[in-house]
Amino acid sequence: MNSSHLLDDIDNQLAEWCAARKLPKFRVKQIRRWLFEGRAGDFQAMSDLPQKVRDELAESFTLWTSTIAKHTTADDGTEKLLLSLAGGGQIECVLLRDKVRRTLCISTQVGCGMGCVFCASGLDGVDRNLTTGEILEQVLLLQQLLDPQERLSHIVVMGMGEPLANLPALLPALDQIAREDGLGISHRRITVSTVGLPKQIRRLAELDTRYRLAISLHAPNDELRNQIVPVNDKMPLGDILDAADYYFEHSGRRLTFEYVLLAKLNDRPEHAHQLVKLLAGRTALVNVIPYNPVAGLPYGTPSSEAQQTFRSILESGGLAVRFRHRKGDKINAACGQLRRSSGLTQIDK
């Protein structure tokens, strides 16, 4: 019976499995190469392995524990998968195409417990953490959507869930992604997004992970952030920024601060001026994301004029600013739109 999920602990499981069958050690490298570089969909596709080995692998291990419940595409090249998990629940993950970049946006939890008021991912709270294998499966399944000449270039851990609330499963998955005999994506091309968990940010620094860190601010003061990001009352901005500075000192990676711009809530000139003051002197990029509407939520996208005024104030204040171009919003695959089911907001191409 296929009970062991290979991707949960691929190195130890393959080493033990091969040793028990007195197979040469290079078989482990062959299997890894097929999974990460060869984009194999099953063990039978691993054509340079003896048929007996392929059959026994299929008997011993489960390669995919999730099933694709829905595959949605958009005109801009974005593709989204809704995955049903054997361990319970559903998640979404996204492939984004932008010129030569091929970026995967992956999830770490079924739902999210952070409660950001504008975000679809946390509407029903959080059910559970994903396993290492379930995180890796998203990457490998999305990679299979690429044409043979396309190469994966970036990973953003910005899907459903709070990544830093699931570090024990996330870090081994990212390690496989970054390894030369994995996907070979350098740490500087892997971004981990968080609402700001100070203790876990410091832990990342101490582990010398050197991933890019993106902190979701969404407000320039605690009073407003308490309304938008409810967990802020336990982890105020001062603590988050202290931890962010600590991470920068240890990693040398420029910080990114995410700011979802919500019409008439956090988009006024005084908010921009406060944000300039809050982030002054930091080596950071402010990534401003005009709100992507979610059906059933009362928030709106700011006017073009409000967006331009906000941007001008930040730039005049000396901050490095990027306004994120929407990709995937037509299929609800943009920032803040991912759900734990196909939901009411799904729009097919």
Side-chain angles (χ1 to χ4, degrees), residues 324-340:
R324 186 183 293 178
H325 174 64
R326 285 186 187 178
K327 293 189 76 68
D329 59 310
K330 293 294 191 296
I331 58 168
N332 297 295
C335 179
Q337 292 184 319
L338 298 189
R339 289 176 177 261
R340 55 202 282 186

Side-chain angles (χ1 to χ4, degrees), residues 72-73 329-332 345-349:
T72 317
T73 61
D329 59 310
K330 293 294 191 296
I331 58 168
N332 297 295
T345 66
Q346 188 72 43
I347 302 172
D348 287 327
K349 179 179 173 182

